[in-house]
Amino acid sequence: MSFIPDASTLIQFAIATIILAITPGPDMTLFVSRTLSQGRATGFASLAGALCGTLIHTTLVVVGISALIVASPMAFFVLKIFGAGYLVFLAFQAVTKGSAFSPQKSTGPQVSLFRSWVAGLGINLLNPKIILFFMTFLPQFVSAHDPNASGKLFFLGVMFVVLSTPVTVPMVLAAEKFSAAMKASPRITRVFDYLFGGVFSAFALKILTAQAK
C-alpha cells in the first residue's frame, strides 16, 4: 500500500515514538495524578483525552504540511532544516533540564469522566510545544518529492497514537508504583532524558547530512 512508509522508516519512527511516550511530561503528569487521586477510570479518561488531542494536532499539522509540499517543496525543505534544529534544541533541553514529572496525590471532589477527558484534551491542544513538535517531527520521515507524502504523514500520525497507547496504559494501571519508582529513582528519569536526547539528535543529524549530500 502506497501510504505505508518503508520498513526502515517505520522502525525509526516506532523507536522515536516509544521513547517520547515514556519520557515524562505534562500529559503523563496529568493522567498519573488523576489516577492517584480519583482512580483508574479517571486516569484513563484523561489519557484518552490527551490521545484525542494528539490525533487532532496530527491531522491539522499533516493537512498544513501536505499543502506546503504542494505549494513549495523548497519551503518544505526549509521546514525540515528548522525541524532538525528544533529536535536538537529539545534534546539539549532534555539532557540539561530534565523531564517534568510531579504528580500530586491530592484529594478532592470526584471529577466526572467527561471532565477528566476534557482536561486531557485541553492540556494537549493548548500546549503550543506539541503542535510545534509534530510540525517539525513528522516531516523528517517523508520526502517532498514523494507523491504519497500526505498519506504517509497521516499513517505515521495514527501510528504515533497506536504505539503510545500500550506504553501509557500500564502507567495508569500501576500509577502508584510507577509514580513512587520515578520519585525514588531520579536516575530512571535521567535515562529517559538521555534516550530522548540521543535519538532526536540522531534524527536531526540524519536530516542535515542527507540534505547536505
Side-chain angles (χ1 to χ4, degrees):
M1 289 177 281
S2 59
F3 63 87
I4 299 180
D6 59 78
S8 175
T9 299
L10 290 176
I11 292 173
Q12 293 177 45
F13 186 80
I15 292 173
T17 297
I18 292 172
I19 290 177
L20 180 62
I22 62 178
T23 302
D27 288 4
M28 183 187 296
T29 299
L30 174 67
F31 60 72
V32 171
S33 295
R34 286 297 173 88
T35 303
L36 292 174
S37 60
Q38 302 283 332
R40 288 180 179 175
T42 305
F44 279 126
S46 299
L47 172 58
L51 291 176
C52 287
T54 298
L55 197 55
I56 293 173
H57 271 308
T58 301
T59 301
L60 294 175
V61 168
V62 167
V63 170
I65 290 174
S66 298
L68 184 62
I69 292 174
V70 174
S72 174
M74 178 54 68
F76 181 68
F77 163 74
V78 172
L79 175 63
K80 294 188 78 169
I81 296 300
F82 171 76
Y86 184 61
L87 293 180
V88 170
F89 171 74
L90 290 179
F92 178 77
Q93 290 285 95
V95 172
T96 57
K97 295 188 177 181
S99 303
F101 182 74
S102 55
Q104 300 296 322
K105 190 178 180 181
S106 58
T107 58
Q110 185 67 31
V111 179
S112 69
L113 296 182
F114 177 73
R115 287 185 60 187
S116 295
W117 180 84
V118 170
L121 180 68
I123 198 173
N124 193 282
L125 290 181
L126 297 177
N127 188 343
K129 290 184 178 180
I130 293 179
I131 191 168
L132 183 59
F133 173 79
F134 277 101
M135 186 180 294
T136 56
F137 176 63
L138 284 178
Q140 311 305 319
F141 298 90
V142 298
S143 168
H145 304 292
D146 189 337
N148 301 304
S150 179
K152 289 180 178 179
L153 285 168
F154 271 111
F155 181 87
L156 291 174
V158 174
M159 180 178 170
F160 182 91
V161 175
V162 171
L163 290 179
S164 297
T165 301
V167 175
T168 50
V169 164
M171 296 178 187
V172 173
L173 292 175
E176 193 86 43
K177 293 181 180 179
F178 175 78
S179 178
M182 294 293 282
K183 291 180 178 179
S185 303
R187 290 182 180 179
I188 295 178
T189 304
R190 293 304 290 158
V191 168
F192 293 154
D193 291 334
Y194 280 106
L195 279 174
F196 182 98
V199 169
F200 284 93
S201 294
F203 280 126
L205 180 62
K206 176 185 175 183
I207 186 61
L208 289 174
T209 54
Q211 297 295 352
K213 294 179 181 179

